[in-house]
Amino acid sequence: MRVAITGSTGLIGSALTRSLLADGHDVVRLVRDRSATSRESAWWDPVGGKVQPGALDGVDAVVHLAGAGIGDRRWNAAYKTEIRRSRTAGTETIARACAEAATPPRVLVSASATGYYGDTDDLVIEESAPAGDDFLADVCAAWEAAADPAREAGVRVVHPRTGLVVSAQGGAFGRLLPLFRFGLGGRLGSGEQYWPFISLTDHIAALRFAIAAEELSGPVNFTAPEPVTNRAVTEALGRALHRPTLAAVPAFVLRAVLGEFATGITCSCRAVPSALLKSGFDFARPTIDEALRSALGAN
């Protein structure tokens, strides 16, 4: 296959690139540097709405992962605008480029997140569940809708609604690990909120599965089949690292430190991967303990 990827330098994008190249596939990295015009890279301007002419011609699949980091900065009005714009404008740019390619790709895998559902307490959440009513839910809904130009052109579009990616290499989970290594880790908020997680290994495998599985389209929960609470994640980290997990950060402290972003940490989403399981996807790391062992290099 020949696969174009945005966000190829991020945690997921870099791992997907390595996986595809290792199996002999061609990868086109879409980057913002306009001097990047080779068989392995092409430029794009997500906000300006432009993609290097011909960059997607002959591409079998496009995987769109780029977007401003949700937890990179404290939210204010300007950064919330940037979070939304980076996702909607970038997705529309890629979707239109897919639609206008001389030979459109067979599939566009365009990222989303379990934040689409908002706070759902302990309800089991499948892909048919409605959108929530908070900022992240609104962003996710607009993010997915921005891929409509590709859908209207007949391109199969898959939206991986990703949960917490368990990896020591980066992302939100990677930021938690140092605290736990020093014995400073503990539950966040009540600890009873469900955190939908997925190992990095399974996330990459699921992306490749979504590219190949013709029956998959629309939203697909990229979460492990056994959802766990923040308390359970905390206890699993303590076991894996042989460290105490007695610390606890109350919700009001999280709000004081993180502002509105704290909502994404303390809300609950018990999402399950119904679409993946029905399509025959086999999780290699289905439990939090297995995901942690993989992330920490124990297997």
Side-chain angles (χ1 to χ4, degrees):
M1 293 187 300
R2 185 165 171 79
V3 181
I5 303 176
T6 74
S8 62
T9 60
L11 172 67
I12 295 169
S14 57
L16 176 62
T17 298
R18 289 193 300 271
S19 175
L20 290 167
L21 291 175
D23 285 344
H25 300 293
D26 291 332
V27 172
V28 181
R29 299 173 178 87
L30 292 175
V31 298
R32 300 190 187 198
D33 181 1
R34 288 211 173 209
S35 66
T37 55
S38 68
R39 181 169 173 77
E40 293 79 28
S41 61
W43 62 263
W44 76 309
D45 179 356
V47 176
K50 298 179 181 179
V51 176
Q52 179 181 316
L56 301 186
D57 292 349
V59 165
D60 297 292
V62 177
V63 181
H64 173 45
L65 303 170
I70 295 294
D72 288 357
R73 289 166 47 190
R74 187 184 176 92
W75 291 358
N76 56 26
Y79 195 60
K80 287 170 72 173
T81 297
E82 173 62 16
I83 288 172
R84 175 188 287 273
R85 184 180 65 169
S86 70
R87 283 160 173 73
T88 56
T91 299
E92 185 173 357
T93 295
I94 286 297
R96 290 195 182 283
C98 288
E100 295 168 2
T103 303
R106 298 195 308 271
V107 59
L108 167 61
V109 180
S110 185
S112 185
T114 54
Y116 175 92
Y117 304 111
D119 191 341
T120 54
D121 199 14
D122 62 352
L123 294 175
V124 175
I125 299 299
E126 298 184 337
E127 288 84 354
S128 59
D133 58 4
D134 59 16
F135 169 70
L136 285 180
D138 187 52
V139 167
C140 288
W143 191 7
E144 294 180 12
D148 282 349
R151 259 186 289 270
E152 292 163 2
V155 176
R156 179 170 63 90
V157 178
V158 179
H159 294 294
R161 289 179 179 165
T162 299
L164 178 72
V165 178
V166 180
S167 170
Q169 300 166 30
F173 188 86
R175 296 175 190 169
L176 290 176
L177 273 177
L179 293 174
F180 280 84
R181 289 187 192 279
F182 284 106
L184 301 175
R187 61 175 174 79
L188 302 177
S190 71
E192 301 309 311
Q193 69 273 28
Y194 277 88
W195 273 14
F197 76 92
I198 186 170
S199 72
L200 181 61
T201 298
D202 281 328
H203 196 289
I204 301 309
L207 284 174
R208 295 188 56 172
F209 184 84
I211 290 172
E214 295 291 338
E215 71 275 15
L216 273 183
S217 66
V220 179
N221 288 343
F222 272 38
T223 59
E226 300 182 23
V228 292
T229 62
N230 168 256
R231 186 185 300 275
V233 171
T234 298
E235 293 170 352
L237 269 165
R239 289 193 299 271
L241 295 171
H242 306 291
R243 293 289 189 274
T245 56
L246 300 179
V249 184
F252 75 90
V253 174
L254 286 171
R255 287 193 294 272
V257 174
L258 301 176
E260 190 179 350
F261 174 58
T263 302
I265 295 173
T266 57
C267 75
S268 181
C269 182
R270 194 177 182 178
V272 294
S274 295
L276 281 175
L277 293 174
K278 289 175 183 175
S279 294
F281 181 74
D282 186 21
F283 283 84
R285 309 284 188 267
T287 69
I288 187 61
D289 288 301
E290 290 170 313
L292 282 171
R293 285 197 296 271
S294 178
L296 297 172
N299 66 355

